[in-house]
Amino acid sequence: MDYTHLGRTGLSVSRICLGTMNFGPFTSEPDAHAIMDSAHASGINFFDTANGYGRDKGKGATEKILGNWFAKGDGRRERTVLATKVYGDMGEWPNEGKLSALNIRRALDASLQRLQTDYIDLYQFHHVDRNTPWEEIWQAIDVAITQGKILYAGSSNFAGWHIAQAQAAATARHTMGLVSEQSLYNLATRNIELEVIPAAQHYGLGILPWSPLQGGLLGGVLRKERDGVRRTEGRAAQVLAERREQVQAYEDFVDELGHPAGDVALAWLLHQDAVTAPIVGPRVQDQLDSAVRAVDVTLDADALARLDEIFPGHRTAPEDYAW
């Protein structure tokens, strides 16, 4: 496994981040524990979750699965750079969601309890809260850092100007502010290249792409359909209907490269300068194994250029659409 620093920090994280959203709803706790053990065995030290993950198992269920795994000991928590998130409503009463100082305090303590740990390495805002001033948010984060409950703060699903706004407020407080941004980013969806990536690079934030295979679209979906392995649904089905010719061209090209489609999609992200670590969310062990393989896939300049032809990206705004 390769490692890099998370944004401008001195924190070393694996180039693959283990996403845990499927743990509980689709992956049983014993299987999830086995996947996490395998991730450590492969050198993956960066795990991502959220307080709201759990779906039909209940909000917070995924954090509990991680907490029970940490409780097994043997250095599991110490070897893990742990990231979780706050924002979504965890109950029906007021102040049980968003980024008020009150909710941050309560949500953080609840996550620590479920995760069975006394600190979180990367505490992320799952979405921008347009109704809470950054002075309040950063005050709450400063208190949590002083208490030793979190080490770093990150964002998720922010626009470029939200990152600038957050960093301006942090600078006024003489604090570090955000160190990472978690965004939807993959070969088929490259909108963040317009403004989010330039903002992140300017302020020293590492990019953590979620849905790196676009819901399976970039994982050899046409081949799997032909072989009867899977039925396309959700985000992948919608995009596939609109971009079937592109996906076919992509699968034809990765066949020429001699690598599985999912490996190439992850490798492409790893070749992007702004990307710290794609977040992969395996349901089963084979999906994790594929992600680990991608670290060793090298794409030369010609291959990268061909992928850009199949899935054109964006230049930095405003040059992408103006002069």
Side-chain angles (χ1 to χ4, degrees):
M1 180 56 58
D2 294 333
Y3 300 88
T4 189
H5 288 137
L6 178 62
R8 67 192 185 283
T9 75
L11 182 67
S12 294
V13 295
S14 50
R15 292 304 312 277
I16 296 294
C17 178
L18 178 66
T20 62
M21 187 172 65
N22 289 320
F23 293 176
F26 302 106
T27 305
S28 69
E29 182 162 336
D31 287 346
H33 286 194
I35 288 173
M36 288 188 282
D37 281 335
S38 177
H40 268 187
S42 299
I44 296 173
N45 74 334
F46 194 14
F47 291 12
D48 176 75
T49 190
N51 63 346
Y53 288 172
R55 298 194 185 188
D56 60 310
K57 302 299 182 182
K59 295 178 180 180
T62 301
E63 284 188 334
K64 289 180 181 178
I65 290 174
L66 270 73
N68 292 337
W69 182 72
F70 288 141
K72 291 182 177 181
D74 197 25
R76 286 176 169 84
R77 176 64 186 95
E78 291 77 8
R79 293 197 299 270
T80 302
V81 175
L82 174 62
T84 192
K85 308 182 195 76
V86 58
Y87 177 85
D89 292 335
M90 296 297 286
E92 298 179 355
W93 280 79
N95 302 311
E96 290 190 290
K98 309 296 191 297
L99 301 180
S100 70
L102 178 59
N103 184 58
I104 287 175
R105 175 176 176 168
R106 290 175 174 172
L108 175 57
D109 286 345
S111 284
L112 291 171
Q113 184 176 19
R114 287 189 293 267
L115 290 163
Q116 299 189 50
T117 186
D118 56 2
Y119 74 100
I120 289 163
D121 298 277
L122 178 63
Y123 200 48
Q124 302 162 108
F125 311 124
H126 212 160
H127 197 278
V128 64
D129 184 350
R130 296 179 175 88
N131 296 317
T132 303
W134 276 106
E135 292 81 3
E136 177 180 350
I137 295 170
W138 285 133
Q139 182 181 45
I141 293 300
D142 291 346
V143 169
I145 291 174
T146 300
Q147 292 173 333
K149 294 180 178 180
I150 67 172
L151 300 181
Y152 304 95
S155 58
S156 181
N157 305 307
F158 275 30
W161 78 273
H162 295 141
I163 293 172
Q165 187 181 42
Q167 295 307 81
T171 298
R173 297 178 62 86
H174 305 287
T175 58
M176 193 167 196
L178 303 172
V179 302
S180 62
E181 158 61 22
Q182 189 175 140
S183 284
L184 173 62
Y185 187 38
N186 54 59
L187 263 171
T189 304
R190 300 175 60 171
N191 304 47
I192 70 168
E193 293 173 348
L194 283 163
E195 298 193 14
V196 174
I197 286 180
Q201 290 180 309
H202 176 77
Y203 290 106
L205 278 63
I207 294 290
L208 308 174
W210 59 265
S211 195
L213 302 186
Q214 187 66 25
L217 183 82
L218 300 171
V221 63
L222 296 180
R223 178 186 294 276
K224 291 175 182 177
E225 278 190 342
R226 290 193 299 270
D227 295 343
V229 174
R230 68 170 290 168
R231 177 172 58 88
T232 308
E233 54 189 4
R235 182 185 299 115
Q238 178 183 349
V239 179
L240 182 59
E242 301 168 351
R243 307 173 74 172
R244 193 175 190 91
E245 290 185 7
Q246 281 181 301
V247 175
Q248 185 63 67
Y250 171 69
E251 294 193 16
D252 290 343
F253 179 59
V254 299
D255 284 345
E256 294 177 23
L257 293 176
H259 295 293
D263 295 16
V264 173
L266 285 171
W268 178 82
L269 283 169
L270 291 169
H271 281 69
Q272 306 309 303
D273 292 339
V275 170
T276 295
I279 300 170
V280 299
R283 297 188 184 189
V284 296
Q285 180 65 44
D286 286 349
Q287 293 171 336
L288 177 64
D289 294 340
S290 174
V292 173
R293 287 198 309 268
V295 176
D296 294 324
V297 175
T298 299
L299 301 174
D300 61 23
D302 290 340
L304 292 170
R306 177 60 181 141
L307 290 171
D308 281 338
E309 290 176 4
I310 297 171
F311 293 110
H314 295 279
R315 292 185 295 164
T316 299
E319 286 82 3
D320 188 77
Y321 48 80
W323 58 271

